Structure formats: structure tokens, C-alpha cells
């Protein structure tokens, strides 16, 4: 998510002109304290950074597996937010196309790193469930929270309907890639043929999913940028207004006023009336173009302006350091999963679908809700639904191809239960976002749906964890 600058300062100008905004100077590698302050001291979530040294030391100190998992779990949450900030700052230097590509690609580094480390260890089920969990959490929990909390403050929120329809078609394409392997495995054939065919089908499908993802980025960032533009501010404000209650007397007054307006409209226009109307229209134009209104407009544009706070090399160094620390914490996190499931008597499916998904989506959850409450639903939808598309069309096929390279049976064949959950999730979200409008009740529906799914996976039998996903 884009971090909006709040450091603008207005300079004093004479003659009633619109004040200019002084721009913040980007912090470079020669200003490490300024880089630290802008990247670390910008959110209360980053207080969890204090957990990082303890989490890293927990593994060589032979802490219990539960402690290792919990410490590194909370350590990754602020690191994911810093990673998003560094990625955004780097993308601002590289232009819309290349910057958008980097922002989209690196937006799910946490899921990618956790998936690669688990795949190397042969934890195929953890990889699959964590990917499915990220998609479900983004579509139901993150998007639902945006709709709910944004709807509590605003009566109704609107967003770009064309963008929502594009998101829906891409999500349907992603679900198709999981339904086909599941249907293929229902065929009456030899197990060896089914396993070989499922892997081949998954590898071929993964290649085509990456092609679709690249085409989607080119479509969004190059050829059809206008289809993903945000709804104008005045339309968002109009939808957000809460309707007023009108009693019987007020209804009579409204009817009388409408009748009077109709009588005036039907009266023949005289030259004096025409001149008076023209004068009034000119006065309205003068008011709309007054310095005060221009200043208000500049203030509104200021909220949407993205400002470069770090130099390119400072962003790259911050990105590399963050990725390295995330890699270490993710390694310890994955290695402690077996001990966690044994100690807490949890199924591996619950750990992957619910717990690991929360790690990767913590920063998106906070960021999306923040902009949704500010009635910027286009941006919130891009964070929540767009992240699911990136996982489904980029991270999942990449991990499938990596499994192919390192000879791990990573496929697009999820368990039948998970496949059904994914299908219903996409179907429900497409119904809700299809009209380009949302409210708090629709958000509550998504949140309750996620809660029900969480309970179902909590009760998921442990002895069925690998029965339908293992292709060894």
C-alpha cells in the first residue's frame, strides 16, 4: 500500500495565490538516522521490531518450538510493513511501469520466502495451505474489514466498477487452475498415472498463469490505466453522506418547494431574468475559482500525493536488509511448525490456512483499513483483492515451478475441502464487489464467513492433513 506523506509545509504567498508546498528532501545513505526515522519510526506496529533479536536468538538457544514460532511470527509482522515501505519508495524512483511491476512483484515477498523455505524442506502441504490461506484472508478478512470499518464511518462507499470486474475475472481464472487438477484426480485411473498427470498439468498451468499475470500488469499499468483510476472525490463524498430522516411536515415543505420551482421553470424567461441568471452564474464561477476554494482543492490533492522520502539506493539497501532478516525469521518459523502442531494439538492445515496467512497479511490488513476509513476504497480494494491476485497468479505458479526444478511434488492440486472453500470465497467476493458499491453489512458478511472457515479448519482432522495433497 502506498504511504501518504504528511510532511507538507505551506509557504506564505501574497496576492491571495494558492500556497505552494515545499517538498521533503529524500534521505540517502549518508543520512542513516533520517532513513531510520522515516522507515522505522513511522508506525506503532514497528514496536514489534524489538522482538527480532529475541526471535533470531531463540533457535540457537534451543527455545521450545512454540516460543520460536510465536517470537518469529510477531517479528515478521513489522518487517513486512517496512518491506512494503521500501518497495514503494523504490518504485517511485523508477516510473509508473517499472515501479508498478516491482511493487506488485515484491508485495508478497513474505509469502514467497516462507513458501521457498518450506518447499526446500519438503513441506508441500504447508506451502499449499499458506498460499490458499493468504488468498482467503485477503478476500474475506482484509477486504471484509475494509468494507466494515469504512462503512461504519461512511454511509456507502464506491469504487471503480471496471477494476472490480477485472479483479473478478482474474480471480475466476485462478480458481479454474485449482478446480481442473481436483477434477482430474477424480478420474478413475491408476494412481501413478494420476500423480504424474497432475504434476504435468500443474506445471503447464503454472506457466500460463505467469503469462496471464504479466499480461495483467501490462494491461493495468500501460494500455488501460484509465480503467483502474479512482472514483472522483466528489462522488465518494456524495455516496458517503448518511441520509437524513424526514418527517411529515418536512415532506410537505419539500413538496411545496418543488411545486414552486416547477411554476418558476414554466414561466417565460424575460431579458431581465436572463441577465440576472447570467450574472448569478458568473458569480458562482468566481466563487468556485476563488483562492480559498483553490486552496481547499490543493489540500485535497495533497492527501493523494505520493512523496519520495528515500533515495533509490537507500530504498534498495533497506529492502535487502529487510529481506535478509525476514529470511532468517521465516527459516526458524518453518522449522518450528512440527513442534507447534504437536504441542497445541493443531492440524497443519489450520497453521497454514489461518496462522501463517495472518503473518503475510498483517501489513496489508492495517494499511487497507486505514485508507478505507478515509473513504479511499479504490486503494483499499487494490491492496486486499490485488494482493490475492498476485498470490494466485504469481507466487503460486512460481513456487510450483520451483518445486518442479528441485524435484518436489508441488502442484496446483489442493485438498477438495480447500478447493471448495476457495471457490465459494471467490464467488462471494465477486457478488459483493460487482456493483462497485459496498457498505458495512457486506463487510460483516465477509468477516463472519472467514470466522466460520477458521472454525472449520480448527476442527480439521489431523490424520487427513496429507491424504489428498501429497503426490510423493
Amino acid at each position: 500500500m502506498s504511504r501518504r506523506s504528511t510532511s507538507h509545509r505551506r509557504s506564505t504567498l501574497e496576492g491571495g495565490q494558492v500556497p505552494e508546498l515545499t517538498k521533503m528532501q529524500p534521505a540517502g545513505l549518508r543520512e542513516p538516522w533520517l532513513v531510520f526515522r522515516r522507515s522505522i519510526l513511522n508506525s506503532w506496529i514497528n514496536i514489534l521490531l524489538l522482538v527480532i533479536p529475541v526471535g533470531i536468538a531463540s533457535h540457537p538457544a534451543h527455545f521450545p518450538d512454540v516460543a520460536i514460532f510465536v517470537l518469529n511470527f510477531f517479528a515478521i509482522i513489522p518487517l513486512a510493513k517496512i518491506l512494503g515501505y521500501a518497495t514503494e519508495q523504490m518504485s517511485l524512483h523508477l516510473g509508473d511501469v517499472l515501479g508498478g511491476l516491482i511493487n506488485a512483484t515484491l508485495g508478497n515477498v513474505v509469502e514467497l520466502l516462507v513458501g521457498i523455505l518450506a518447499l526446500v524442506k519438503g513441506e508441500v502441504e504447508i506451502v499449499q495451505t499458506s498460499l490458499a490461506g493468504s488468498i482467503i484472508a485477503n478476500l474475506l478478512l482484509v477486504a471484509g474489514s475494509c468494507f466494515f470499518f469504512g462503512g461504519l464511518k461512511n454511509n456507502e462507499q464506491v469504487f471503480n466498477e471496471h477494476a472490480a470486474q477485472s479483479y473478478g475475472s482474474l480471480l475466476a481464472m485462478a480458481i479454474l487452475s485449482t478446480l481442473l487438477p481436483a477434477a482430474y484426480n477424480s478420474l478413475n485411473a491408476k494412481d501413478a498415472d494420476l500423480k504424474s498427470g497432475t504434476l504435468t498439468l500443474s506445471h503447464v498451468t503454472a506457466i500460463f498463469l505467469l503469462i496471464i499475470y504479466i499480461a495483467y500488469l501490462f494491461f493495468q499499468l500501460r494500455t488501460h490505466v484509465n480503467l483502474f483510476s479512482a472514483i472522483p472525490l466528489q462522488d465518494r463524498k456524495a455516496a458517503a453522506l448518511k441520509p437524513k430522516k424526514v418527517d411529515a411536515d418536512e415532506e410537505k415543505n419539500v413538496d411545496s418547494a418543488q411545486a414552486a420551482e416547477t411554476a418558476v421553470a414554466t414561466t417565460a424567461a424575460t431579458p431581465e431574468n436572463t441577465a440576472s441568471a447570467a450574472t448569478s452564474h458568473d458569480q458562482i464561477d468566481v466563487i468556485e475559482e476563488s483562492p480559498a476554494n483553490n486552496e481547499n482543492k490543493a489540500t485535497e490533492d495533497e492527501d493523494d500525493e505520493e512523496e519520495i522520502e528515500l533515495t533509490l539506493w537507500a530504498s534498495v539497501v533497506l529492502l535487502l536488509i529487510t529481506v535478509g532478516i525476514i529470511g532468517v525469521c521465516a527459516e526458524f518459523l518453518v522449522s518450528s511448525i512440527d513442534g507447534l502442531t504437536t504441542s497445541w494439538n493443531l492440524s497443519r492445515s489450520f497453521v497454514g490456512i489461518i496462522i501463517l496467512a495472518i503473518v503475510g497479511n498483517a501489513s496489508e490488513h492495517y494499511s487497507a483499513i486505514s485508507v478505507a476509513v478515509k473513504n479511499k476504497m479504490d486503494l483499499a480494494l487494490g491492496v486486499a483483492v490485488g494482493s490475492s491476485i498476485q498470490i494466485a497468479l504469481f507466487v503460486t505458479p512460481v513456487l510450483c515451478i520451483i518445486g518442479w526444478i528441485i524435484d518436489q511434488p508441488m502442484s496446483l492440486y489442493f485438498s477438495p475441502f480447500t478447493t471448495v472453500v476457495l471457490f465459494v470465497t471467490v464467488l462471494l467476493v465477486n457478488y459483493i464487489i460487482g456493483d462497485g458499491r459496498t457498505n458495512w453489512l457486506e463487510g460483516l458478511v465477509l468477516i463472519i464467513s472467514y470466522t466460520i472457515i477458521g472454525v472449520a479448519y480448527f476442527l480439521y482432522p489431523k490424520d487427513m492433513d496429507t491424504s489428498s495433497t501429497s503426490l510423493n
Side-chain angles (χ1 to χ4, degrees):
M1 193 216 57
S2 299
R3 180 178 176 271
R4 306 298 175 182
S5 174
T6 58
S7 302
H8 293 296
R9 296 291 184 270
R10 291 185 174 84
S11 61
T12 304
L13 297 178
E14 298 179 355
Q17 297 179 355
V18 179
E20 293 182 356
L21 302 175
T22 58
K23 292 187 176 181
M24 178 188 299
Q25 294 298 321
L29 296 177
R30 296 182 178 180
E31 303 169 299
W33 167 247
L34 190 56
V35 174
F36 176 84
R37 188 176 67 183
R38 292 180 179 177
S39 59
I40 306 299
L41 304 180
N42 59 8
S43 174
W44 61 269
I45 290 181
N46 291 341
I47 192 69
L48 293 175
L49 291 172
L50 298 175
V51 181
I52 292 178
V54 183
I56 294 177
S58 63
H59 188 268
H62 303 291
F63 281 25
D65 287 335
V66 173
I68 295 175
F69 184 92
V70 172
L71 288 171
N72 287 281
F73 173 90
F74 285 106
I76 290 177
I77 292 176
L79 289 171
K81 181 172 177 56
I82 296 174
L83 179 67
Y85 172 76
T87 303
E88 173 211 335
Q89 290 297 311
M90 186 169 59
S91 66
L92 292 177
H93 287 279
L94 301 176
D96 292 338
V97 178
L98 185 57
L101 176 62
I102 291 176
N103 208 353
T105 304
L106 298 181
N108 292 285
V109 168
V110 175
E111 289 90 344
L112 192 59
L113 285 176
V114 172
I116 292 175
L117 292 172
L119 203 58
V120 171
K121 295 177 179 294
E123 301 281 0
V124 176
E125 186 192 0
I126 290 295
V127 177
Q128 290 183 319
T129 53
S130 64
L131 292 174
S134 295
I135 296 174
I136 296 169
N138 275 306
L139 292 179
L140 296 182
L141 183 60
V142 178
S145 299
C146 291
F147 297 161
F148 179 74
F149 290 104
L152 289 180
K153 183 177 181 180
N154 308 278
N155 177 55
E156 193 174 42
Q157 294 181 288
V158 294
F159 46 86
N160 194 320
E161 186 176 352
H162 299 291
Q165 292 173 352
S166 298
Y167 293 152
S169 62
L170 291 171
L171 288 173
M173 174 68 186
I175 295 304
L176 175 66
S177 67
T178 63
L179 288 175
L180 288 180
Y184 180 84
N185 270 268
S186 66
L187 299 177
N188 187 15
K190 296 180 179 179
D191 290 341
D193 295 337
L194 287 178
K195 292 178 181 178
S196 176
T198 300
L199 286 175
T200 303
L201 177 61
S202 298
H203 297 156
V204 173
T205 304
I207 295 174
F208 283 109
L209 287 179
L210 288 177
I211 294 175
I212 289 293
Y213 179 71
I214 295 172
Y216 156 65
L217 292 180
F218 188 75
F219 180 84
Q220 181 186 32
L221 302 173
R222 195 70 175 180
T223 63
H224 290 73
V225 180
N226 60 307
L227 294 183
F228 294 86
S229 59
I231 296 295
L233 180 62
Q234 58 184 6
D235 294 339
R236 284 182 276 150
K237 286 186 175 180
L241 293 177
K242 296 184 178 181
K244 297 180 179 179
K245 294 182 179 180
V246 181
D247 55 22
D249 294 335
E250 290 178 346
E251 288 181 357
K252 292 180 180 179
N253 294 334
V254 170
D255 293 338
S256 300
Q258 290 178 348
E261 290 178 359
T262 303
V264 172
T266 56
T267 304
T270 62
E272 292 80 2
N273 293 337
T274 304
S276 177
T279 304
S280 300
H281 186 271
D282 293 339
Q283 291 175 350
I284 292 174
D285 288 342
V286 171
I287 293 175
E288 290 178 348
E289 296 175 0
S290 64
N293 285 345
N294 285 338
E295 181 177 351
N296 292 335
K297 183 177 181 181
T299 304
E300 292 173 355
D301 292 341
E302 174 187 342
D303 293 335
D304 292 332
E305 183 180 351
E306 296 177 331
E307 190 169 3
I308 299 177
E309 299 183 2
L310 302 180
T311 63
L312 177 60
W313 285 111
S315 304
V316 172
V317 170
L318 179 62
L319 177 72
L320 293 177
I321 293 175
T322 306
V323 169
I325 299 175
I326 289 177
V328 175
C329 293
E331 166 71 20
F332 298 156
L333 185 79
V334 172
S335 64
S336 63
I337 289 178
D338 287 335
L340 175 74
T341 56
T342 302
S343 300
W344 286 1
N345 195 29
L346 298 174
S347 68
R348 298 167 68 85
S349 296
F350 179 80
V351 173
I353 291 285
I354 304 299
I355 298 180
L356 289 182
I358 295 176
V359 177
N361 298 306
S363 61
E364 286 94 342
H365 202 164
Y366 172 79
S367 303
I369 292 178
S370 299
V371 296
V373 171
K374 297 177 182 177
N375 202 16
K376 298 179 181 179
M377 190 52 67
D378 288 283
L379 182 57
L381 197 68
V383 173
V385 182
S387 182
S388 296
I389 292 174
Q390 292 167 19
I391 295 171
L393 300 183
F394 174 72
V395 178
T396 301
V398 164
L399 290 175
C400 185
I401 293 175
I402 291 177
W404 186 11
I405 295 173
I406 65 176
D407 197 25
Q408 289 288 349
M410 172 64 187
S411 71
L412 300 178
Y413 171 44
F414 295 84
S415 69
F417 184 80
T418 301
T419 303
V420 171
V421 171
L422 285 171
F423 177 78
V424 175
T425 296
V426 172
L427 185 66
L428 178 60
V429 171
N430 278 344
Y431 271 128
I432 288 179
I433 69 175
D435 60 351
R437 312 179 76 89
T438 187
N439 50 62
W440 66 265
L441 179 60
E442 294 176 338
L444 185 61
V445 168
L446 295 182
I447 295 174
I448 295 298
S449 300
Y450 184 78
T451 304
I452 295 173
I453 291 172
V455 172
Y457 275 103
F458 181 78
L459 300 175
Y460 200 84
K462 295 183 63 176
D463 56 354
M464 295 181 60
D465 277 352
T466 60
S467 60
S468 58
T469 58
S470 177
L471 293 174
N472 288 316

